Amino acid sequence: MSTAALQSLVNQPYKHGFVTAIESDVAPRGLSEDMIRMISHKKQEPDWLLQFRLDAYRHWLTLAPPQWANVRHAPIDFQDISYYSAPKARPKLASMDEVDPELRRTFERLGVPMHEQAALAGVAVDVIFDSVSVTTTYKARLAEAGVIFCSFSEAVREHPELVRQYLGTVVPPADNFYAALNSAVFTDGSFCFIPRGVRCPMELSTYFRINTQESGQFERTLIVAESDAYVSYLEGCTAPRFDTNQLHAAVVELVALDRAEIKYSTVQNWYAGDENGIGGIFNFVTKRGLCWGTDSKISWTQVETGSAITWKYPSCVLLGERSVGEFYSVALTNHHQQADTGTKMIHLGRDTRSTIISKGISAGVSSNTYRGQVKVGPRAQGARNYSQCDSMLIGADCSASTFPYIDVQNASARVEHEASTSRIGEEQLFYFASRGVGAEEAISMIINGFCRDVFTQLPMEFAVEATKLLGLKLEGSVG
Amino acid sequence: MSAGEVLLEVRGLHASVAGVEILKGLDLRLCAGEVHAIMGPNGSGKSTLSKVLAGHPSYTVSAGEVAFRGIDLLALEPEERARQGLFLGFQYPVEIPGVSNASFLRLAYNTVQAGRGGEELDPLEFDDFVRGRMQLLEMDPGFLDRDVNEGFSGGEKKRNEILQMALLDPLVAILDEADSGLDIDALRIVSKGISALRAQHNAVLLVTHYQRLLDHVVPDFVHVMSEGRIIRTGPRELALELESRGYDWLTGAAAA
């Protein structure tokens, strides 16, 4: 196996690259206060929310896109994007059967169950197509348990007091450039509320699909777990193959009160561009969880395989005493993909703990960066962090970088950081071959072993899916 | 396979790595039931021969042929050679972090079994099977849970190689410096393992620097390699003679 042949095993065509032919209501390109008013009006939002958007927009105008990430791209023309796209004039849906058949076929093709009978047992799904939520399954059954799971727009209509109480408390609109943009123009997303003492009876899941070429997707997700509540939530994403870049700038906020636990898992498979780096999603996402209560816990698990550019740092603010933050990540880049991803663990409360396990896999001529911050505030007596960042290189033309930032302001804190870099090399593959095992199987075994610590954190069905996905992504990278 | 059948026949083999020719017309014939030892000074091409036969991608064969049970070995991919019954025990086995020895060994076993139409084993069946073979090599079952070769001592790595030979039951086993870096006890265990696997249906090629291994695994033939060719073949006593006289008398003779 030459190095060149080694590259060709990572090359599997993207299976979700089709476009749904559906009439869409697409707003003209460009961003202005009028556009924001239009979006807010279309969604029949209350005044306070319009004001929230406008404040965010006015602040955004004063900001410049961040330049510190280890990624390269042409400047994004924010006036050349459409900020709203929805399948046309659908009547209000009472049940699944009223979903536009074309949409239903789309999601069937993607393997996303929209019929409750056909659904994965025990998983409720909110389905977002471009800018709007198409449907949410199992709402009635969840409601019996007191769990609210619906699209963000519906939450604004049905539970405005909850949305208003928590929106922007974890990621303030002024947090960063893309968070400000999202706060101004977000269109839909998911809302989950788990009341006091309730263990959510099923996995919650949102499936995001970008379909329109000229539109961006700006979704907003808010999950609140009250005291002693528990929820496990999964997010999946795909997009068609276009030769232009689409912008995806989401904001996800998690709030965990006393003894609450939120597990948030992502399997991200946005279109990554072709083998020459043409097209693909620009994924600029702000995800943050607030462990507000004592003994609360927030756990992020992500498997990032798609996007031309990934800029994403799911973080935990550990405010409550003894609260726990976790971050488990596998980021795979191939061809010309660029990923700059990691986490922030901000220890503010006493005896808070955090764990970071990051696995970066680079192939082709891609660039894979781990960037993580561990901060221990002056009052975080006894805080502990353990970080482990491992990189694996496939072939000789890719790169991996690790940027850990550690800022400790309390002498009793313990912060550990370990890092390693390995390469799947000719010698390993030859070793497998000399035992009868071909390159594809060898790579898949090495990669799965490498990612084991992260995959075990995923809900069972998704661990299987993630394993398959990595296999597909790497097929053909070694020959 | 019956004793005496030709398993491997190498004729006029020339091979190079990074543009430098290492093998310069090598001939060798292994028959079922035989153990051969190849000795020779550093740089004579012993390890290159092992890697070329196993199909390492860095080596280029420019001339010659290799028949493995009558099949053109050089036309096969390395994994296909292994499935046909060729085995290379590595001088320096690579570490494969993250992959447990148990799953690696089972994958190798099942792949080779599938290739020869044998029965594949599920994890529980395999566990019984592998533990039996490990006893032969006095290996602790804890080996199975460790990652492949990772953090293994030199002796543990070599035992792990012989374990793989024991599992895969090859027709031709090439053992590259199976004895290097071993202390007396480890040498005894490895030698015992090789001797136990020696059978009428297979052939073993021992590539070694020192004759001490040959005290334990007595070869039928000893070949001396120099500058990419076999310059002398003799009985077991040749190894003893090399031990006392060194190689110069032979290599000098070759140059003359």
Side-chain angles (χ1 to χ4, degrees), chain B residues 33-93:
Chain B
E34 295 175 352
V35 173
H36 293 240
I38 291 196
M39 305 182 74
N42 279 332
S44 57
K46 302 189 299 290
S47 282
T48 295
L49 173 64
S50 311
K51 289 189 173 162
V52 168
L53 291 177
H56 193 290
S58 300
Y59 296 82
T60 315
V61 173
S62 51
E65 51 195 52
V66 181
F68 178 73
R69 300 170 63 203
I71 309 168
D72 178 5
L73 185 74
L74 301 176
L76 301 178
E77 292 294 327
E79 57 268 30
E80 194 47 44
R81 299 180 194 193
R83 290 173 204 160
Q84 296 279 341
L86 186 83
F87 179 84
L88 171 62
F90 285 75
Q91 181 178 9
Y92 302 111

Short mmCIF file of all heavy atoms in Angstrom, two decimals, chain B residues 33-93:
data_model
loop_
_atom_site.label_atom_id
_atom_site.label_comp_id
_atom_site.label_asym_id
_atom_site.label_seq_id
_atom_site.Cartn_x
_atom_site.Cartn_y
_atom_site.Cartn_z
N GLY B 33 7.60 -30.42 5.86
CA GLY B 33 8.30 -31.19 6.88
C GLY B 33 9.69 -30.68 7.19
O GLY B 33 10.36 -31.21 8.07
N GLU B 34 10.14 -29.62 6.48
CA GLU B 34 11.52 -29.15 6.66
C GLU B 34 11.59 -27.86 7.47
O GLU B 34 10.71 -27.01 7.42
CB GLU B 34 12.17 -28.89 5.29
CG GLU B 34 12.33 -30.14 4.46
CD GLU B 34 12.85 -29.83 3.05
OE1 GLU B 34 12.96 -28.64 2.67
OE2 GLU B 34 13.15 -30.80 2.33
N VAL B 35 12.72 -27.74 8.20
CA VAL B 35 13.04 -26.47 8.83
C VAL B 35 14.36 -25.97 8.24
O VAL B 35 15.34 -26.70 8.21
CB VAL B 35 13.17 -26.62 10.36
CG1 VAL B 35 13.68 -25.32 10.98
CG2 VAL B 35 11.83 -27.00 10.98
N HIS B 36 14.32 -24.76 7.74
CA HIS B 36 15.52 -24.14 7.17
C HIS B 36 15.93 -22.95 8.02
O HIS B 36 15.07 -22.23 8.52
CB HIS B 36 15.25 -23.63 5.75
CG HIS B 36 14.99 -24.72 4.76
ND1 HIS B 36 15.77 -24.90 3.64
CD2 HIS B 36 14.04 -25.68 4.72
CE1 HIS B 36 15.31 -25.94 2.95
NE2 HIS B 36 14.24 -26.42 3.58
N ALA B 37 17.22 -22.75 8.14
CA ALA B 37 17.69 -21.54 8.81
C ALA B 37 18.48 -20.72 7.81
O ALA B 37 19.25 -21.27 7.01
CB ALA B 37 18.58 -21.91 9.99
N ILE B 38 18.24 -19.42 7.81
CA ILE B 38 19.05 -18.52 6.99
C ILE B 38 19.87 -17.66 7.93
O ILE B 38 19.33 -16.99 8.81
CB ILE B 38 18.19 -17.65 6.07
CG1 ILE B 38 17.56 -18.52 4.99
CG2 ILE B 38 19.02 -16.54 5.45
CD1 ILE B 38 17.01 -17.75 3.82
N MET B 39 21.16 -17.70 7.75
CA MET B 39 22.05 -16.90 8.57
C MET B 39 22.86 -15.99 7.66
O MET B 39 22.84 -16.15 6.45
CB MET B 39 22.97 -17.81 9.39
CG MET B 39 22.19 -18.83 10.21
SD MET B 39 23.23 -19.87 11.23
CE MET B 39 23.70 -18.73 12.52
N GLY B 40 23.55 -15.07 8.27
CA GLY B 40 24.36 -14.19 7.44
C GLY B 40 24.65 -12.91 8.16
O GLY B 40 23.96 -12.57 9.13
N PRO B 41 25.68 -12.21 7.72
CA PRO B 41 26.04 -10.96 8.39
C PRO B 41 24.95 -9.90 8.22
O PRO B 41 24.07 -10.02 7.37
CB PRO B 41 27.34 -10.54 7.70
CG PRO B 41 27.43 -11.33 6.45
CD PRO B 41 26.56 -12.54 6.60
N ASN B 42 25.04 -8.85 9.03
CA ASN B 42 24.12 -7.71 8.89
C ASN B 42 24.16 -7.18 7.48
O ASN B 42 25.21 -7.08 6.87
CB ASN B 42 24.57 -6.58 9.83
CG ASN B 42 24.09 -6.84 11.25
OD1 ASN B 42 23.08 -7.50 11.45
ND2 ASN B 42 24.84 -6.34 12.21
N GLY B 43 22.97 -6.82 6.96
CA GLY B 43 22.92 -6.21 5.64
C GLY B 43 23.03 -7.20 4.50
O GLY B 43 23.13 -6.81 3.34
N SER B 44 22.98 -8.48 4.81
CA SER B 44 23.11 -9.45 3.72
C SER B 44 21.79 -9.64 2.97
O SER B 44 21.77 -10.21 1.90
CB SER B 44 23.60 -10.80 4.28
OG SER B 44 22.72 -11.25 5.28
N GLY B 45 20.68 -9.14 3.57
CA GLY B 45 19.40 -9.21 2.86
C GLY B 45 18.41 -10.19 3.47
O GLY B 45 17.37 -10.48 2.87
N LYS B 46 18.70 -10.68 4.68
CA LYS B 46 17.84 -11.69 5.29
C LYS B 46 16.43 -11.15 5.55
O LYS B 46 15.43 -11.79 5.20
CB LYS B 46 18.43 -12.16 6.64
CG LYS B 46 19.84 -12.74 6.54
CD LYS B 46 20.29 -13.39 7.84
CE LYS B 46 20.34 -12.42 9.02
NZ LYS B 46 21.41 -11.40 8.94
N SER B 47 16.37 -9.97 6.19
CA SER B 47 15.04 -9.40 6.49
C SER B 47 14.32 -8.99 5.22
O SER B 47 13.10 -9.08 5.13
CB SER B 47 15.18 -8.20 7.42
OG SER B 47 15.39 -8.65 8.74
N THR B 48 15.10 -8.52 4.24
CA THR B 48 14.49 -8.14 2.97
C THR B 48 13.80 -9.35 2.34
O THR B 48 12.67 -9.25 1.86
CB THR B 48 15.56 -7.57 2.02
OG1 THR B 48 16.06 -6.37 2.58
CG2 THR B 48 14.98 -7.29 0.64
N LEU B 49 14.47 -10.48 2.39
CA LEU B 49 13.87 -11.70 1.82
C LEU B 49 12.53 -11.99 2.50
O LEU B 49 11.52 -12.25 1.84
CB LEU B 49 14.83 -12.88 1.99
CG LEU B 49 14.24 -14.24 1.58
CD1 LEU B 49 13.94 -14.26 0.08
CD2 LEU B 49 15.21 -15.38 1.94
N SER B 50 12.50 -11.87 3.84
CA SER B 50 11.26 -12.13 4.57
C SER B 50 10.15 -11.20 4.10
O SER B 50 9.02 -11.62 3.85
CB SER B 50 11.45 -11.89 6.07
OG SER B 50 12.59 -12.54 6.54
N LYS B 51 10.48 -9.92 3.99
CA LYS B 51 9.46 -8.93 3.65
C LYS B 51 9.00 -9.07 2.20
O LYS B 51 7.82 -8.88 1.90
CB LYS B 51 9.97 -7.53 3.93
CG LYS B 51 10.07 -7.29 5.44
CD LYS B 51 10.37 -5.87 5.79
CE LYS B 51 10.27 -5.70 7.31
NZ LYS B 51 10.94 -4.49 7.75
N VAL B 52 9.93 -9.38 1.32
CA VAL B 52 9.55 -9.54 -0.08
C VAL B 52 8.60 -10.73 -0.22
O VAL B 52 7.60 -10.66 -0.91
CB VAL B 52 10.80 -9.72 -0.97
CG1 VAL B 52 10.41 -10.19 -2.36
CG2 VAL B 52 11.57 -8.41 -1.04
N LEU B 53 8.90 -11.81 0.48
CA LEU B 53 8.03 -12.99 0.37
C LEU B 53 6.64 -12.69 0.93
O LEU B 53 5.64 -13.15 0.40
CB LEU B 53 8.66 -14.18 1.11
CG LEU B 53 9.93 -14.75 0.46
CD1 LEU B 53 10.50 -15.88 1.31
CD2 LEU B 53 9.66 -15.23 -0.97
N ALA B 54 6.57 -11.88 1.99
CA ALA B 54 5.27 -11.55 2.58
C ALA B 54 4.55 -10.45 1.81
O ALA B 54 3.37 -10.22 2.03
CB ALA B 54 5.44 -11.15 4.04
N GLY B 55 5.28 -9.73 0.94
CA GLY B 55 4.62 -8.74 0.08
C GLY B 55 4.64 -7.32 0.61
O GLY B 55 3.74 -6.53 0.34
N HIS B 56 5.67 -6.96 1.38
CA HIS B 56 5.74 -5.59 1.88
C HIS B 56 5.77 -4.59 0.72
O HIS B 56 6.53 -4.75 -0.23
CB HIS B 56 6.98 -5.41 2.76
CG HIS B 56 6.96 -4.14 3.54
ND1 HIS B 56 7.11 -2.91 2.95
CD2 HIS B 56 6.77 -3.89 4.87
CE1 HIS B 56 7.03 -1.96 3.88
NE2 HIS B 56 6.82 -2.54 5.04
N PRO B 57 4.92 -3.55 0.78
CA PRO B 57 4.77 -2.64 -0.37
C PRO B 57 6.01 -1.80 -0.68
O PRO B 57 6.11 -1.26 -1.79
CB PRO B 57 3.60 -1.75 0.04
CG PRO B 57 3.52 -1.85 1.52
CD PRO B 57 4.01 -3.21 1.87
N SER B 58 6.93 -1.68 0.26
CA SER B 58 8.09 -0.84 -0.02
C SER B 58 9.13 -1.52 -0.92
O SER B 58 10.05 -0.88 -1.39
CB SER B 58 8.78 -0.45 1.29
OG SER B 58 7.91 0.27 2.10
N TYR B 59 8.99 -2.82 -1.10
CA TYR B 59 9.99 -3.56 -1.86
C TYR B 59 9.50 -3.86 -3.27
O TYR B 59 8.34 -4.16 -3.49
CB TYR B 59 10.34 -4.87 -1.14
CG TYR B 59 10.98 -4.63 0.21
CD1 TYR B 59 10.20 -4.36 1.33
CD2 TYR B 59 12.37 -4.63 0.34
CE1 TYR B 59 10.78 -4.11 2.56
CE2 TYR B 59 12.96 -4.38 1.58
CZ TYR B 59 12.15 -4.12 2.68
OH TYR B 59 12.74 -3.86 3.90
N THR B 60 10.42 -3.74 -4.21
CA THR B 60 10.08 -3.98 -5.61
C THR B 60 10.86 -5.19 -6.11
O THR B 60 12.08 -5.25 -5.93
CB THR B 60 10.47 -2.77 -6.49
OG1 THR B 60 10.04 -1.60 -5.81
CG2 THR B 60 9.83 -2.84 -7.85
N VAL B 61 10.15 -6.11 -6.71
CA VAL B 61 10.82 -7.27 -7.30
C VAL B 61 11.11 -6.95 -8.77
O VAL B 61 10.21 -6.58 -9.51
CB VAL B 61 9.92 -8.52 -7.20
CG1 VAL B 61 10.54 -9.69 -7.96
CG2 VAL B 61 9.71 -8.89 -5.73
N SER B 62 12.37 -7.05 -9.16
CA SER B 62 12.71 -6.70 -10.54
C SER B 62 12.92 -7.93 -11.41
O SER B 62 12.83 -7.84 -12.63
CB SER B 62 13.97 -5.81 -10.56
OG SER B 62 14.99 -6.43 -9.80
N ALA B 63 13.23 -9.05 -10.79
CA ALA B 63 13.40 -10.26 -11.59
C ALA B 63 13.24 -11.48 -10.70
O ALA B 63 13.33 -11.39 -9.49
CB ALA B 63 14.79 -10.27 -12.25
N GLY B 64 12.99 -12.60 -11.34
CA GLY B 64 12.88 -13.85 -10.61
C GLY B 64 11.45 -14.24 -10.37
O GLY B 64 10.52 -13.49 -10.71
N GLU B 65 11.25 -15.41 -9.80
CA GLU B 65 9.90 -15.86 -9.51
C GLU B 65 9.83 -16.62 -8.20
O GLU B 65 10.83 -17.15 -7.72
CB GLU B 65 9.36 -16.70 -10.66
CG GLU B 65 10.28 -17.81 -11.09
CD GLU B 65 9.85 -18.36 -12.46
OE1 GLU B 65 9.69 -17.55 -13.41
OE2 GLU B 65 9.66 -19.58 -12.55
N VAL B 66 8.63 -16.62 -7.64
CA VAL B 66 8.40 -17.36 -6.40
C VAL B 66 7.12 -18.16 -6.58
O VAL B 66 6.07 -17.60 -6.85
CB VAL B 66 8.23 -16.41 -5.19
CG1 VAL B 66 8.01 -17.23 -3.92
CG2 VAL B 66 9.44 -15.50 -5.03
N ALA B 67 7.26 -19.48 -6.48
CA ALA B 67 6.07 -20.32 -6.56
C ALA B 67 5.73 -20.82 -5.17
O ALA B 67 6.60 -21.31 -4.45
CB ALA B 67 6.33 -21.50 -7.49
N PHE B 68 4.46 -20.61 -4.79
CA PHE B 68 3.99 -21.08 -3.49
C PHE B 68 2.97 -22.17 -3.78
O PHE B 68 1.89 -21.89 -4.28
CB PHE B 68 3.37 -19.91 -2.72
CG PHE B 68 2.81 -20.29 -1.37
CD1 PHE B 68 3.65 -20.58 -0.31
CD2 PHE B 68 1.44 -20.36 -1.17
CE1 PHE B 68 3.13 -20.94 0.93
CE2 PHE B 68 0.92 -20.70 0.07
CZ PHE B 68 1.77 -21.00 1.12
N ARG B 69 3.32 -23.42 -3.53
CA ARG B 69 2.49 -24.56 -3.91
C ARG B 69 2.07 -24.44 -5.36
O ARG B 69 0.92 -24.67 -5.72
CB ARG B 69 1.25 -24.63 -3.03
CG ARG B 69 1.59 -24.77 -1.56
CD ARG B 69 0.37 -24.59 -0.70
NE ARG B 69 -0.60 -25.62 -0.98
CZ ARG B 69 -1.90 -25.49 -0.73
NH1 ARG B 69 -2.37 -24.37 -0.25
NH2 ARG B 69 -2.72 -26.48 -0.98
N GLY B 70 3.01 -24.01 -6.19
CA GLY B 70 2.76 -23.93 -7.62
C GLY B 70 2.08 -22.65 -8.07
O GLY B 70 1.96 -22.38 -9.26
N ILE B 71 1.64 -21.81 -7.12
CA ILE B 71 0.98 -20.55 -7.49
C ILE B 71 2.03 -19.44 -7.55
O ILE B 71 3.01 -19.46 -6.80
CB ILE B 71 -0.07 -20.14 -6.42
CG1 ILE B 71 -1.02 -21.29 -6.12
CG2 ILE B 71 -0.83 -18.90 -6.83
CD1 ILE B 71 -1.87 -21.04 -4.88
N ASP B 72 1.82 -18.47 -8.44
CA ASP B 72 2.72 -17.33 -8.54
C ASP B 72 2.50 -16.42 -7.33
O ASP B 72 1.57 -15.61 -7.29
CB ASP B 72 2.44 -16.58 -9.84
CG ASP B 72 3.31 -15.33 -9.98
OD1 ASP B 72 4.20 -15.11 -9.12
OD2 ASP B 72 3.09 -14.57 -10.96
N LEU B 73 3.35 -16.54 -6.34
CA LEU B 73 3.16 -15.81 -5.09
C LEU B 73 3.22 -14.30 -5.29
O LEU B 73 2.48 -13.53 -4.68
CB LEU B 73 4.22 -16.23 -4.07
CG LEU B 73 4.06 -15.64 -2.66
CD1 LEU B 73 2.92 -16.32 -1.93
CD2 LEU B 73 5.35 -15.76 -1.86
N LEU B 74 4.13 -13.87 -6.17
CA LEU B 74 4.37 -12.43 -6.34
C LEU B 74 3.16 -11.71 -6.93
O LEU B 74 3.05 -10.49 -6.83
CB LEU B 74 5.61 -12.19 -7.18
CG LEU B 74 6.89 -12.81 -6.60
CD1 LEU B 74 8.06 -12.63 -7.54
CD2 LEU B 74 7.22 -12.20 -5.23
N ALA B 75 2.25 -12.48 -7.54
CA ALA B 75 1.06 -11.85 -8.12
C ALA B 75 -0.02 -11.61 -7.06
O ALA B 75 -1.01 -10.94 -7.32
CB ALA B 75 0.50 -12.73 -9.24
N LEU B 76 0.18 -12.14 -5.86
CA LEU B 76 -0.86 -12.02 -4.84
C LEU B 76 -0.61 -10.82 -3.93
O LEU B 76 0.53 -10.49 -3.61
CB LEU B 76 -0.89 -13.29 -3.97
CG LEU B 76 -1.14 -14.63 -4.66
CD1 LEU B 76 -1.08 -15.76 -3.64
CD2 LEU B 76 -2.47 -14.62 -5.39
N GLU B 77 -1.73 -10.21 -3.49
CA GLU B 77 -1.64 -9.17 -2.47
C GLU B 77 -1.16 -9.82 -1.17
O GLU B 77 -1.40 -11.01 -0.95
CB GLU B 77 -3.02 -8.54 -2.23
CG GLU B 77 -3.56 -7.74 -3.40
CD GLU B 77 -2.74 -6.50 -3.68
OE1 GLU B 77 -2.20 -5.91 -2.70
OE2 GLU B 77 -2.61 -6.12 -4.86
N PRO B 78 -0.55 -9.01 -0.29
CA PRO B 78 -0.04 -9.59 0.96
C PRO B 78 -1.12 -10.34 1.75
O PRO B 78 -0.85 -11.43 2.29
CB PRO B 78 0.45 -8.38 1.76
CG PRO B 78 0.49 -7.23 0.83
CD PRO B 78 -0.20 -7.61 -0.44
N GLU B 79 -2.34 -9.77 1.82
CA GLU B 79 -3.36 -10.44 2.62
C GLU B 79 -3.77 -11.77 2.00
O GLU B 79 -4.11 -12.73 2.68
CB GLU B 79 -4.60 -9.54 2.85
CG GLU B 79 -5.28 -9.01 1.61
CD GLU B 79 -4.75 -7.64 1.19
OE1 GLU B 79 -3.56 -7.36 1.43
OE2 GLU B 79 -5.54 -6.86 0.61
N GLU B 80 -3.69 -11.82 0.65
CA GLU B 80 -4.03 -13.08 -0.04
C GLU B 80 -2.96 -14.15 0.23
O GLU B 80 -3.25 -15.32 0.40
CB GLU B 80 -4.19 -12.79 -1.54
CG GLU B 80 -4.87 -13.88 -2.33
CD GLU B 80 -6.15 -14.41 -1.69
OE1 GLU B 80 -6.98 -13.60 -1.21
OE2 GLU B 80 -6.29 -15.64 -1.65
N ARG B 81 -1.71 -13.70 0.30
CA ARG B 81 -0.63 -14.64 0.61
C ARG B 81 -0.86 -15.27 1.98
O ARG B 81 -0.68 -16.48 2.16
CB ARG B 81 0.73 -13.92 0.61
CG ARG B 81 1.07 -13.30 -0.74
CD ARG B 81 2.41 -12.61 -0.73
NE ARG B 81 2.51 -11.75 -1.93
CZ ARG B 81 3.62 -11.20 -2.36
NH1 ARG B 81 4.76 -11.39 -1.71
NH2 ARG B 81 3.62 -10.46 -3.46
N ALA B 82 -1.28 -14.42 2.92
CA ALA B 82 -1.52 -14.93 4.27
C ALA B 82 -2.67 -15.93 4.26
O ALA B 82 -2.61 -16.97 4.90
CB ALA B 82 -1.83 -13.78 5.22
N ARG B 83 -3.71 -15.61 3.48
CA ARG B 83 -4.87 -16.51 3.45
C ARG B 83 -4.51 -17.84 2.78
O ARG B 83 -5.11 -18.87 3.05
CB ARG B 83 -6.03 -15.85 2.69
CG ARG B 83 -6.64 -14.70 3.48
CD ARG B 83 -7.68 -13.96 2.65
NE ARG B 83 -7.83 -12.59 3.15
CZ ARG B 83 -8.35 -11.60 2.43
NH1 ARG B 83 -8.76 -11.81 1.19
NH2 ARG B 83 -8.45 -10.40 2.95
N GLN B 84 -3.51 -17.79 1.89
CA GLN B 84 -3.09 -19.04 1.22
C GLN B 84 -2.19 -19.88 2.12
O GLN B 84 -1.85 -21.01 1.77
CB GLN B 84 -2.32 -18.71 -0.07
CG GLN B 84 -3.14 -18.00 -1.13
CD GLN B 84 -4.00 -18.97 -1.93
OE1 GLN B 84 -3.74 -20.17 -1.93
NE2 GLN B 84 -5.03 -18.44 -2.59
N GLY B 85 -1.75 -19.30 3.26
CA GLY B 85 -0.96 -20.12 4.18
C GLY B 85 0.48 -19.69 4.37
O GLY B 85 1.30 -20.45 4.85
N LEU B 86 0.79 -18.44 4.00
CA LEU B 86 2.13 -17.92 4.25
C LEU B 86 2.08 -17.07 5.52
O LEU B 86 1.14 -16.31 5.73
CB LEU B 86 2.58 -17.06 3.06
CG LEU B 86 4.02 -16.56 3.13
CD1 LEU B 86 4.97 -17.65 2.62
CD2 LEU B 86 4.19 -15.29 2.30
N PHE B 87 3.07 -17.20 6.34
CA PHE B 87 3.08 -16.44 7.60
C PHE B 87 4.44 -15.78 7.79
O PHE B 87 5.48 -16.40 7.56
CB PHE B 87 2.80 -17.38 8.77
CG PHE B 87 2.82 -16.69 10.11
CD1 PHE B 87 1.69 -16.05 10.59
CD2 PHE B 87 3.98 -16.67 10.89
CE1 PHE B 87 1.70 -15.41 11.82
CE2 PHE B 87 3.99 -16.02 12.12
CZ PHE B 87 2.84 -15.39 12.59
N LEU B 88 4.41 -14.52 8.21
CA LEU B 88 5.65 -13.83 8.56
C LEU B 88 5.60 -13.46 10.04
O LEU B 88 4.70 -12.74 10.48
CB LEU B 88 5.83 -12.57 7.71
CG LEU B 88 6.98 -11.65 8.12
CD1 LEU B 88 8.33 -12.36 8.00
CD2 LEU B 88 7.00 -10.37 7.28
N GLY B 89 6.55 -13.96 10.80
CA GLY B 89 6.71 -13.51 12.17
C GLY B 89 7.69 -12.35 12.16
O GLY B 89 8.81 -12.48 11.68
N PHE B 90 7.26 -11.20 12.66
CA PHE B 90 8.04 -9.98 12.48
C PHE B 90 9.21 -9.88 13.46
O PHE B 90 9.10 -10.27 14.62
CB PHE B 90 7.15 -8.75 12.66
CG PHE B 90 6.24 -8.49 11.50
CD1 PHE B 90 5.10 -9.27 11.29
CD2 PHE B 90 6.51 -7.47 10.60
CE1 PHE B 90 4.27 -9.03 10.22
CE2 PHE B 90 5.68 -7.22 9.53
CZ PHE B 90 4.55 -8.01 9.33
N GLN B 91 10.28 -9.26 12.96
CA GLN B 91 11.39 -8.95 13.87
C GLN B 91 10.96 -7.86 14.86
O GLN B 91 11.23 -7.95 16.04
CB GLN B 91 12.61 -8.49 13.05
CG GLN B 91 13.80 -8.17 13.93
CD GLN B 91 15.02 -7.74 13.12
OE1 GLN B 91 14.94 -7.53 11.90
NE2 GLN B 91 16.14 -7.61 13.80
N TYR B 92 10.31 -6.83 14.32
CA TYR B 92 9.81 -5.74 15.18
C TYR B 92 8.31 -5.59 14.96
O TYR B 92 7.89 -4.77 14.14
CB TYR B 92 10.51 -4.42 14.84
CG TYR B 92 12.00 -4.47 14.96
CD1 TYR B 92 12.82 -4.39 13.82
CD2 TYR B 92 12.61 -4.58 16.21
CE1 TYR B 92 14.20 -4.42 13.94
CE2 TYR B 92 13.99 -4.62 16.33
CZ TYR B 92 14.78 -4.54 15.19
OH TYR B 92 16.15 -4.59 15.31
N PRO B 93 7.48 -6.33 15.68
CA PRO B 93 6.03 -6.21 15.48
C PRO B 93 5.55 -4.82 15.87
O PRO B 93 5.97 -4.29 16.90
CB PRO B 93 5.46 -7.27 16.43
CG PRO B 93 6.60 -8.17 16.78
CD PRO B 93 7.83 -7.33 16.70
#
